[in-house]
Amino acid sequence: MNKFYNNKQNLLCNILDKAENTHNLNKNEIVELLNSDGNLLYKSADKVRKKYKGDFVHLRGLIEFSNICRCNCYYCGLRSENQKLDRYRLTENEILECVNFAVNSGYKTVVLQSGEDMYWTCERLCSLIKKIKEHDIAITLSIGERSFDEYKKLKEAGSDRFLLRIETTDKNLYKQLHPNMSFENRVQCLKNLKKLGYETGTGCLVGLPNQTIKSLADDILFFKELDADMVGIGPLIPHPETPLANANKDNLDMALKVMAIVRLLMPDINIPATTAMESIRENGRIIALNSGANVVMPNITKGEYRKKYEIYPNKICINDSPEKCINCIKSKIESIGRKISTTKGYRKDAL
Ligand code: 5AD
Ligand code: SF4
Ligand code: FES
């Protein structure tokens, strides 16, 4: 081993020791970790996950209830300008059927996810939420940007959590990729959600064109500053019907490194092993669960609609049933010695 290698390894070990003990790193230290090969980082994140979250994995049943979206994000297959996508919207009854399946299968959370579909007014959503809340189940909303007042009503109707990724904290990049949207408003939405008492989830995409390592470090520091309760990291998967069709595809390792650093700096939060991770590498979710993640969000949308929720290509499970997915993921989780949680899995729950 040469001296340079030794010095590099020592530096990495020192940073990881500091992270494990203090859960604080500066931007330069985060950049060092992002530039490393990741192997020591993943081990360290796994250790912190075990200490703070134990071996339980929380399952959140994902219902993709509308692929209609008013936004035109440059990376996403649901963008309003993609005319090749067959659009759908589940009825309230169809959504409630999915919820019944979730309850009967032992899920303790359903995630209602859609594009920014304004058919689903605050009133319609509140009425749906109240019906779902007749069951003992937590509700996570992932429906995009709304006003403070609407977020407030949705919370009062019974929703518990909200997912809204910042996508990138690089303002210029954000502007380029999100026509007619405002970075400042997105940050304000996240602050509003926190203020209203939602368990608030955010996250970013990794692999956007012109995204730098430093900007990923800023993303991580932003999550900590916001005190996010959940952070989901997605590797960008270029979609052929979007302006980013030719973007870099090889984003999994960097996404895993970002995720692992988030675990080191925010030891008690919930971190999903994202579907996108498995869509680009076999067992990507299991790799993520061994590198800091403690949540999985199996798809419980009914068959004919899954294919149409094509945020990115080659999404896993598009031909599988909700029953198949739950059995599949349970056996994968158990195969690595982890256990399926039977609680709602709030951030602050005791171990
Ligand atoms: N690749 C990976 N993730 C994507 N998302 C949107 N488009 C893509 C893509 N091409 C993610 C965004 C959004 C979430 C619902 O899906 O981060 O917040
Ligand atoms: Fe719409 Fe979300 Fe896709 Fe943007 S990322 S186009 S807001 S579904
Ligand atoms: Fe859907 Fe494995 S989780 S088939």
Side-chain angles (χ1 to χ4, degrees):
M1 240 186 268
N2 65 37
K3 200 169 157 211
F4 174 74
Y5 180 80
N6 261 328
N7 282 342
K8 205 72 193 154
Q9 285 297 92
N10 279 343
L11 177 64
L12 265 187
C13 290
N14 286 341
I15 297 174
L16 289 172
D17 272 348
K18 177 178 169 193
E20 282 180 32
N21 292 318
T22 68
H23 309 298
N24 266 309
L25 292 177
N26 63 38
K27 187 163 165 183
N28 289 338
E29 291 164 333
I30 295 174
V31 167
E32 275 304 321
L33 294 183
L34 290 173
N35 280 325
S36 74
D37 70 12
N39 290 322
L40 292 172
L41 167 62
Y42 302 146
K43 286 202 184 87
S44 180
D46 195 44
K47 209 156 98 186
V48 171
R49 182 274 308 159
K50 198 175 168 71
K51 180 170 167 198
Y52 284 81
K53 305 307 282 180
D55 281 335
F56 283 104
V57 174
H58 302 286
L59 298 183
R60 323 286 201 201
L62 177 67
I63 307 172
E64 298 162 333
F65 69 96
S66 165
N67 70 354
I68 297 168
C69 189
R70 65 174 172 174
C71 303
N72 204 18
C73 308
Y74 268 39
Y75 41 81
C76 177
L78 307 194
R79 67 199 304 269
S80 55
E81 270 180 30
N82 180 9
Q83 284 165 8
K84 295 213 174 143
L85 183 69
D86 193 5
R87 305 280 170 170
Y88 74 88
R89 177 185 288 136
L90 264 61
T91 62
E92 188 184 78
N93 276 339
E94 286 176 308
I95 299 173
L96 291 171
E97 274 174 37
C98 296
V99 172
N100 274 334
F101 168 83
V103 171
N104 294 332
S105 311
Y107 283 101
K108 297 286 179 237
T109 299
V110 282
V111 182
L112 300 177
Q113 187 169 80
S114 67
E116 291 205 4
D117 177 0
M118 293 302 119
Y119 165 87
W120 280 100
T121 57
C122 185
E123 288 67 35
R124 286 189 173 121
L125 284 166
C126 286
S127 136
L128 171 67
I129 289 164
K130 284 179 192 149
K131 286 180 188 155
I132 296 176
K133 276 298 190 172
E134 289 169 14
H135 302 284
D136 178 28
I137 197 159
I139 300 179
T140 305
L141 298 177
S142 177
I143 57 166
E145 297 178 20
R146 300 271 173 139
S147 67
F148 182 88
D149 192 48
E150 287 179 288
Y151 283 158
K152 186 162 182 272
K153 288 186 175 133
L154 294 166
K155 183 81 183 54
E156 284 161 2
S159 51
D160 304 272
R161 309 190 179 109
F162 204 105
L163 304 177
L164 186 74
R165 289 186 181 168
I166 191 69
E167 314 293 2
T168 175
T169 56
D170 177 331
K171 277 191 209 171
N172 286 328
L173 190 56
Y174 187 91
K175 219 173 169 169
Q176 285 166 31
L177 299 174
H178 302 95
N180 303 319
M181 290 172 76
S182 136
F183 179 78
E184 286 72 25
N185 190 56
R186 204 156 182 93
V187 174
Q188 190 58 52
C189 283
L190 286 166
K191 289 186 180 157
N192 291 347
L193 291 164
K194 279 293 289 186
K195 193 168 170 193
L196 287 164
Y198 283 94
E199 276 210 328
T200 304
T202 188
C204 64
L205 282 167
V206 175
L208 295 165
N210 301 320
Q211 191 178 38
T212 60
I213 297 260
K214 281 190 178 160
S215 121
L216 290 170
D218 284 332
D219 293 353
I220 296 169
L221 291 169
F222 171 84
F223 305 148
K224 190 154 167 85
E225 166 86 32
L226 177 74
D227 190 26
D229 304 296
M230 302 174 279
V231 172
I233 307 296
L236 176 77
I237 307 178
H239 190 297
E241 296 302 328
T242 67
L244 299 197
N246 298 318
N248 192 351
K249 289 185 165 84
D250 188 21
N251 301 313
L252 182 65
D253 293 309
M254 190 56 78
L256 286 168
K257 285 190 266 183
V258 173
M259 186 198 78
I261 298 169
V262 172
R263 170 58 73 208
L264 293 178
L265 300 192
M266 306 177 76
D268 67 339
I269 68 166
N270 284 318
I271 300 183
T274 57
T275 307
M277 290 178 169
E278 184 127 350
S279 299
I280 46 179
R281 192 177 302 165
E282 208 183 332
N283 278 327
R285 288 174 301 180
I286 294 301
I287 297 169
L289 286 173
N290 283 327
S291 313
N294 70 320
V295 169
V296 178
M297 295 165 57
N299 196 330
I300 60 167
T301 317
K302 291 196 293 184
E304 65 272 33
Y305 298 117
R306 290 185 179 211
K307 294 182 193 61
K308 298 182 186 167
Y309 205 82
E310 200 195 41
I311 296 178
Y312 48 78
N314 304 318
K315 216 172 127 196
I316 53 164
C317 308
I318 53 169
N319 293 312
D320 299 306
S321 64
E323 293 81 359
K324 167 143 188 233
C325 286
I326 193 167
N327 291 329
C328 163
I329 198 65
K330 276 187 178 168
S331 69
K332 285 189 182 192
I333 290 167
E334 280 158 6
S335 78
I336 55 165
R338 303 276 279 277
K339 289 169 257 177
I340 310 290
S341 160
T342 52
T343 73
K344 295 198 179 88
Y346 290 106
R347 174 186 185 181
K348 303 288 182 197
D349 282 354
L351 257 195

